[in-house]
Amino acid sequence: MSALRDWWSAMPDYDWIRDYHRAHPLLRRAPYVTAAGCFLVAVVAVVLIFSPVADGATAQLLIAAVSAVGAGCWWARGTFPSRRGSLAFIVYAGVAIPVGILSTPPSTLSLYAVAIMVTVGNYVTAMHDARVFVAQEAWSLLVAVVVFARVLSAGVAPAPEVIATFVLVLGLLFTASTLNHVFFTALRNDASRALFDQLTGLRNRRGMHTAVEALMRYHRPDHLSVLCLDLDAFKSVNDRFGHAVGDEVLRATAARIEELSPPGAVSARLGGEEFAVVVPGDDARAFARCLVTEIHRANDRTPVTASVGVAVEDVADWDGLCPTMLGRLLDRADLAMYRAKRDGGNNVVVDGTGATDGPL
């Protein structure tokens, strides 16, 4: 039961799933595949217009074809939608497909057509959580039952044939989608473990590279700022209070970094007590000072301070390897951070300026 509870309560980050797809050489082509599926539905609708199946449903099939072409063009832009846009597409497809099926006279072909709903289920599996998946599957079952009852009552085929077709369609709808859901959930969990730090929930170094590559590919900022943050004298926290308390300090620090980070920033735990934040733009000094100020809170159980190094680079004309560029910026920010430590800690040093804010 605990496994089912974990599955049901898991709320994967849609933005992370989208960024993961964007960063993968093959998965980033998924919008074009979805567009091709929409265009294929439009072709099927047009073909049916010229078949006996249409039988007075020409206008409805034409509307379905135009609608599918519109959805295909939307996806053919090659960009992944926001979570709200993705849910809107699921609702559109979940309504448009059964409306198109029910607009034609009842036949065993219309019952087979319900299997098209499996494509929506597969999309939900790839992009959304268990609750959206269950809602989609429940809706698909309702559509299948309605179409089955309609075909059976119309008497267009022997009852055993209609029942056998219905069972076959149910098998296609739920076996394929459920197996894909289990498979994708396992892959997503493995990817999460590979890209995220399990203690703090922030990205790890690999996850940071993946997210920054997506940032550079789809947003192309003119400048990129990298902050390296290290907790001062953190070893003494573990020595005095134990590693469990040290872990609490790391989680609290990560939460404050996430809370304070500006939109579009990518935060990560690089290891131990060292963190990094990648920020689009060239004005990260105020953000760095804010981090130093907010991480140290006198009323914490174990108050800590932090040293921050900042490095900035003009990336407007960048067209190279993201790991190389990011590695260079991390090295510069890391050196600035160690200078901040040598200057007494609890301060900010910006690479290349020779300036230090001094203890805050």
Side-chain angles (χ1 to χ4, degrees):
M1 291 299 295
S2 63
L4 285 175
R5 279 196 303 270
D6 291 343
W7 166 75
W8 179 252
S9 60
M11 297 293 288
D13 185 341
Y14 177 83
D15 289 336
W16 171 74
I17 295 172
R18 181 177 61 179
D19 290 344
Y20 180 76
H21 279 73
R22 284 172 169 174
H24 196 282
L26 290 178
L27 294 179
R28 73 170 64 115
R29 308 298 180 189
Y32 300 111
V33 177
T34 308
C38 293
F39 292 140
L40 183 60
V41 170
V43 170
V44 171
V46 170
V47 170
L48 287 177
I49 289 174
F50 299 99
S51 75
V53 173
D55 191 24
T58 300
Q60 295 95 318
L61 289 171
L62 186 59
I63 292 172
V66 172
S67 173
V69 168
C73 291
W74 186 64
W75 279 104
R77 299 172 303 160
T79 59
F80 286 92
S82 64
R83 185 175 189 275
R84 182 175 296 179
S86 180
L87 290 173
F89 171 73
I90 292 168
V91 171
Y92 155 76
V95 172
I97 291 172
V99 166
I101 293 171
L102 294 172
S103 66
T104 60
S107 66
T108 52
L109 177 61
S110 64
L111 193 53
Y112 277 118
V114 176
I116 298 175
M117 296 288 287
V118 77
T119 60
V120 185
N122 287 341
Y123 173 80
V124 171
T125 286
M127 302 300 295
H128 290 276
D129 56 75
R131 300 182 187 202
V132 180
F133 172 75
V134 170
Q136 169 60 32
E137 292 298 279
W139 175 248
S140 296
L141 176 60
L142 177 61
V143 170
V145 169
V146 169
V147 174
F148 165 70
R150 183 170 179 253
V151 173
L152 187 64
S153 62
V156 296
E161 179 183 335
V162 175
I163 294 171
T165 303
F166 177 63
V167 172
L168 175 61
V169 168
L170 288 184
L172 290 173
L173 274 178
F174 299 106
T175 302
S177 291
T178 302
L179 287 176
N180 282 338
H181 180 73
V182 172
F183 179 66
F184 271 97
T185 299
L187 283 181
R188 189 153 52 214
N189 290 340
D190 288 345
S192 176
R193 284 190 288 269
L195 299 175
F196 285 80
D197 173 57
Q198 299 304 299
L199 175 64
T200 64
L202 298 182
R203 290 174 174 83
N204 56 23
R205 189 180 291 268
R206 182 180 177 186
M208 179 180 64
H209 277 273
T210 300
V212 173
E213 182 175 346
L215 173 70
M216 294 300 297
R217 183 179 300 277
Y218 290 96
H219 298 285
R220 298 306 299 263
D222 292 334
H223 291 82
L224 207 63
S225 298
V226 172
L227 291 75
C228 280
L229 180 150
D230 193 87
L231 298 181
D232 299 322
F234 180 73
K235 184 177 183 299
S236 66
V237 175
N238 285 329
D239 292 343
R240 292 168 57 200
F241 302 101
H243 287 279
V245 174
D247 288 349
E248 288 180 10
V249 172
L250 292 174
R251 282 192 288 264
T253 300
R256 290 169 191 174
I257 290 173
E258 279 284 87
E259 179 185 348
L260 296 169
S261 293
V266 177
S267 53
R269 181 189 177 204
L270 300 183
E273 66 273 22
E274 185 173 358
F275 300 84
V277 186
V278 180
V279 183
D282 60 353
D283 187 19
R285 186 164 182 159
F287 168 54
R289 286 179 61 85
C290 183
L291 282 177
V292 171
T293 301
E294 290 297 322
I295 284 173
H296 175 70
R297 295 182 183 177
N299 61 346
D300 281 347
R301 178 182 177 185
T302 51
V304 292
T305 61
S307 298
V308 178
V310 182
V312 183
E313 186 166 313
D314 184 341
V315 293
D317 298 323
W318 173 83
D319 192 24
L321 296 174
C322 188
T324 302
M325 176 269 292
L326 184 57
R328 182 171 61 249
L329 273 167
L330 282 169
D331 288 344
R332 290 168 50 200
D334 203 47
L335 289 173
M337 181 267 293
Y338 278 109
R339 180 180 169 189
K341 281 188 171 295
R342 289 195 301 269
D343 290 344
N346 195 30
N347 61 32
V348 176
V349 170
V350 179
D351 171 70
T353 66
T356 179
D357 286 341
L360 301 177

